[in-house]
Amino acid sequence: MEPILHEYGSLLLRWTHIIAGMAWIGSSFYFMHLDASLKACADIPPGKGGEAWEVHGGGFYQVKKYLVAPDFLPEELGWHKWQSYATWITGFFLLIWVYYYQSSIFLIDPAVMNLKPITALVIGLGGLAAGWIAYDQLCRSRLGDKPLVVGIIVFAGVVLAAFLYQQVFSPRAAFIHTGALMATIMSGNVFFVIIPNQHKVVAALKAGEVPNPYYGKTAKLRSGHNNYFTLPVVFLMISNHYPLTYSTPYAFVIVALALVAGTVIRYFYNERHAGRGDKAWCWLVAAVCLILAIFISATTTPAGRMALGLPPLVSPAYAKSGPAVDVPVDIQNVVMGRCAMCHAAEPVYEGFAVPPRGILLDTPEAIAKNRKLILVQAGLTHAMPPNNITELSDEDRAMLKEWASGK
Ligand code: HEC
């Protein structure tokens, strides 16, 4: 029962995580667009805000923005913070659920570094905290007045983090931790800076004081970062279902390319919505980045090289085999006979150029490593082989199930 609950838990967490993320990014896009489309209006002095007219759902909206101080403040204000908190919280539990609960499957790769689960936990979560602190200090430093310099340092920092995670975690976990670090910075911005600053502004207004414009300014810097992070973060999150992106020694370069591509596309829309024209070069830059990423995946991942007929590249994560394992010969025979034609580095099953989902089942080590996945996909459910295409018998399935469940 436990693996079923675990699978379902993962599905439910992912479901809520994606929905919260959609709400968050959606409202972030909405407000960036709104900010960019504000026009001067009669009752707000120039430079102190503006208004936008919008049409949606059968009605017309007249939205006004007051930079810092409206003349009066109603009791009820709509805050936008739970989209962000909910995204982070569900994402955090999903990370724990998938990567830390089953750290031997997804997180720890002995060929990269043979970590103890607790050490991996400290590195993984400690890295998120350290990354946030470094970023926050950078924004608070004197450089905080130079958004471009800060932007370049943040970019370099994220790529460095991707590189460092690659030195300790499995390729897939390294990628997702890089995404989680960026997402933590985004939520940290909302929780520690943007919302508290807004509270200070509201409190000042209620006390009849003029709020310090610094609060609005720093909040804007951070929400600008958040805006430029959205596209790359989503790329990193969904990439962990695509081994071509992360199973290369140059995964950190793919991270860098995704950062640039996502940022310039956001920039294109920010400029367009602000009425500063369509900067077509942004798409050219994004396209070049993505073509480079495809090239790196094709020439440096095991699957990519296989598809191109190139000899395998010797990378640490693939060169060494894991610790010696003891998989009964009967089990090996069943898996080799019913699964490995697709789940091999070089699948022999027609139509498969690369192992599906990056899952290898062609050596005893790989079979042992994927034990829990085998249990769920072939033992407890009949998901694999697809449509039982390789005719796994009920007896063999029962045997797989018994072995995989550790009985
Ligand atoms: C005909 C080719 C083929 C055979 C044979 C096959 N698989 Fe698969 N396997 C696939 C494909 C395709 C996917 C990806 C399914 C998807 O994307 O939903 C997959 C996915 C998987 C996954 C990952 C599921 C996930 O969502 O994480 C596991 C684990 C797996 N297979 C185990 C097995 C086992 C165990 C066997 C043998 C009993 C087996 N497969 C036989 C094609 C095959």
Side-chain angles (χ1 to χ4, degrees), residues 338-339 342-343 352 356-357 359 361 373 377 384-386 389-390:
R338 309 288 163 185
C339 317
C342 298
H343 292 283
F352 287 90
R357 286 274 170 262
I359 306 265
L361 298 172
L373 293 175
Q377 300 291 331
M384 286 293 138
I389 201 159
T390 50

Side-chain angles (χ1 to χ4, degrees), residues 193-400:
V193 179
I194 298 172
I195 295 293
N197 281 7
Q198 245 144 28
H199 276 295
K200 285 176 198 154
V201 169
V202 169
L205 286 175
K206 290 206 166 130
E209 295 160 9
V210 179
N212 187 340
Y214 168 81
Y215 295 132
K217 219 179 87 192
T218 53
K220 196 74 211 144
L221 174 80
R222 309 270 186 142
S223 64
H225 288 160
N226 282 9
N227 180 257
Y228 284 114
F229 269 13
T230 45
L231 302 189
V233 162
V234 174
F235 179 92
L236 294 182
M237 296 301 172
I238 57 180
S239 291
N240 89 89
H241 303 283
Y242 296 91
L244 276 176
T245 57
Y246 58 74
S247 60
T248 148
Y250 303 101
F252 65 97
V253 182
I254 300 222
V255 169
L257 293 168
L259 273 171
V260 175
T263 302
V264 291
I265 293 173
R266 252 344 280 161
Y267 179 73
F268 173 87
Y269 283 105
N270 290 344
E271 290 294 288
R272 177 196 179 102
H273 296 155
R276 286 191 284 268
D278 285 348
K279 307 233 158 43
W281 60 263
C282 294
W283 290 99
L284 190 70
V285 173
V288 169
C289 289
L290 293 177
I291 290 168
L292 273 175
I294 294 171
F295 177 77
I296 293 174
S297 288
T299 53
T300 65
T301 61
R305 292 184 70 83
M306 211 87 64
L308 294 184
L310 300 168
L313 199 73
V314 181
S315 75
Y318 290 88
K320 290 182 239 154
S321 55
V325 287
D326 184 20
V327 178
V329 177
D330 284 353
I331 297 294
Q332 289 188 33
N333 287 342
V334 171
V335 177
M336 298 287 185
R338 309 288 163 185
C339 317
M341 57 281 279
C342 298
H343 292 283
E346 234 171 313
V348 291
Y349 203 91
E350 212 190 316
F352 287 90
V354 299
R357 286 274 170 262
I359 306 265
L360 293 173
L361 298 172
D362 55 347
T363 59
E365 287 78 18
I367 296 172
K369 184 168 180 265
N370 290 312
R371 186 180 183 132
K372 284 198 174 168
L373 293 175
I374 294 174
L375 177 63
V376 173
Q377 300 291 331
L380 299 169
T381 69
H382 289 200
M384 286 293 138
N387 299 327
N388 205 13
I389 201 159
T390 50
E391 296 171 352
L392 178 63
S393 69
D394 289 347
E395 297 81 55
D396 283 354
R397 200 183 283 283
M399 187 171 78
L400 273 185

Side-chain angles (χ1 to χ4, degrees), residues 41-127:
C41 68
D43 50 347
I44 303 179
K48 299 276 179 197
E51 73 174 359
W53 279 82
E54 315 210 325
V55 53
H56 184 81
F60 298 90
Y61 296 75
Q62 183 188 12
V63 191
K64 290 184 179 169
K65 174 168 183 173
Y66 297 86
L67 279 170
V68 180
D71 295 337
F72 94 106
L73 206 57
E75 271 310 304
E76 251 178 53
L77 283 171
W79 291 83
H80 289 262
K81 54 184 179 183
W82 274 103
Q83 297 100 319
S84 161
Y85 303 166
T87 308
W88 191 85
I89 293 167
T90 50
F92 182 75
F93 282 109
L94 187 57
L95 191 70
I96 303 275
W97 195 268
V98 174
Y99 287 88
Y100 291 93
Y101 178 76
Q102 325 178 64
S103 47
S104 61
I105 298 183
F106 290 126
L107 184 63
I108 299 167
D109 186 337
V112 178
M113 195 179 273
N114 205 351
L115 295 168
K116 290 207 181 70
I118 180 73
T119 322
L121 183 96
V122 171
I123 295 176
L125 301 188

